[in-house]
Amino acid sequence: MPDITLTTLVLLCLAAAAAGWIDAVVGGGGLLLLPALLLGLPNVPAAHVLGTNKAVAIVGTSGAAVTFLRKAPVRVGLAVRVGLMALAGSMTGAFFAAGISSDVLRPVIMVVLLGVAAFVLLRPSFGAPTEGDGTDRPVTRARIVTAIVLVGGGIGFYDGLFGPGTGTFLVLALSAVLHLDLVTASATAKIVNVCTNAGALAMFAYQGTVLWQLAAVMALFNLAGGMIGARMALSRGSGFVRAVLLTVVFSLVAKLGFDQWNA
């Protein structure tokens, strides 16, 4: 455990809980958790912050995934296949990350996010449950391959290359490609996130860059936030997830814009 004050520890735990809630509902909890760790641990090497972030996040994501799996219709086998492809894509993206300037990527991602927000606002029916949604609605083999290759590999590559908003992109892409309502897409995205987090955490653990004691404390709060978020998403439905989705998208745009302005 690093030498931090009790106040800092409490704030980090509250941030972990909030991040778990956001991540369970629609993804994007890292938007809060990683900056909180960077601010709370200013003298800790970045690699240890990233490793600790993954150790915390995987617990909340796993808890949310279990909660969703008990009540939401999820194709577990398909979700795992997408997750394994996302893991491979993430590793590839991380390999190329050193040669890509974030100053170039930020404006591109901001435009994409604004396009996503416009699409969701102009298509009120997008992601709303309809007759035959979820596991009962037939999905062609071509769409399944697209989900595995483009959603898994493409978004996984983006996660390794840049990162912010990965969970949100997963929810939107899975909903669009597989005709899932937003609640089922969120549930499926959690399984994919567990796969990518597990691969990243294994690498960080191998490199010895995880603050396990701090991660264990924060993970309890992240788990609680994730399970509460999953239950709220299930009970309140796609309309609630849609509202949180738009909030997260605009928050991502604001953060990226701020980073670009100060770059």
Side-chain angles (χ1 to χ4, degrees):
M1 176 79 75
D3 185 17
I4 59 176
T5 66
L6 178 60
T7 300
T8 299
L9 179 61
V10 170
L11 291 175
L12 286 175
C13 288
L14 291 176
W21 186 91
I22 294 170
D23 208 45
V25 175
V26 76
L31 176 67
L32 174 61
L33 184 56
L34 187 56
L37 282 167
L38 288 170
L39 290 172
L41 306 173
N43 299 318
V44 172
H48 288 73
V49 172
L50 292 171
T52 304
N53 173 63
K54 285 299 180 186
V56 174
I58 193 173
V59 175
T61 302
S62 299
V66 170
T67 301
F68 272 121
L69 284 172
R70 295 173 62 182
K71 298 183 179 180
V74 182
R75 292 183 179 89
V76 178
L78 176 58
V80 171
R81 280 183 283 170
V82 175
L84 292 175
M85 180 60 76
L87 173 60
S90 179
M91 293 175 66
T92 305
F95 178 79
F96 288 103
I100 301 295
S101 172
S102 60
D103 292 337
V104 175
L105 286 176
R106 284 193 199 105
V108 175
I109 300 304
M110 287 171 63
V111 171
V112 172
L113 285 169
L114 288 172
V116 166
F119 177 79
V120 175
L121 285 170
L122 296 173
R123 291 283 300 275
S125 63
F126 175 75
T130 58
E131 188 67 28
D133 266 343
T135 55
D136 296 328
R137 183 171 181 175
V139 179
T140 65
R141 181 178 296 274
R143 286 185 175 272
I144 291 176
V145 172
T146 299
I148 294 174
V149 176
L150 295 184
V151 179
I155 296 179
F157 180 83
Y158 165 78
D159 190 21
L161 187 68
F162 194 53
T166 297
T168 303
F169 287 138
L170 276 174
V171 172
L172 286 168
L174 288 169
S175 180
V177 174
L178 298 178
H179 297 307
L180 302 176
D181 65 86
L182 288 176
V183 172
T184 306
S186 292
T188 306
K190 295 291 92 57
I191 297 176
V192 177
N193 279 344
V194 170
C195 293
T196 56
N197 284 342
L201 178 59
M203 180 58 68
F204 283 123
Y206 175 76
Q207 295 173 340
T209 56
V210 180
L211 303 174
W212 291 109
Q213 290 179 309
L214 176 61
V217 176
M218 293 178 64
L220 294 176
F221 288 83
N222 191 253
L223 175 62
M227 296 181 72
I228 291 171
R231 289 192 176 94
M232 290 181 70
L234 288 166
S235 63
R236 299 194 180 189
S238 292
F240 171 72
V241 175
R242 184 172 179 271
V244 176
L245 171 64
L246 287 171
T247 301
V248 171
V249 166
F250 285 121
S251 297
L252 278 166
V253 171
K255 181 182 184 300
L256 291 172
F258 179 80
D259 290 344
Q260 183 66 21
W261 180 267
N262 287 279

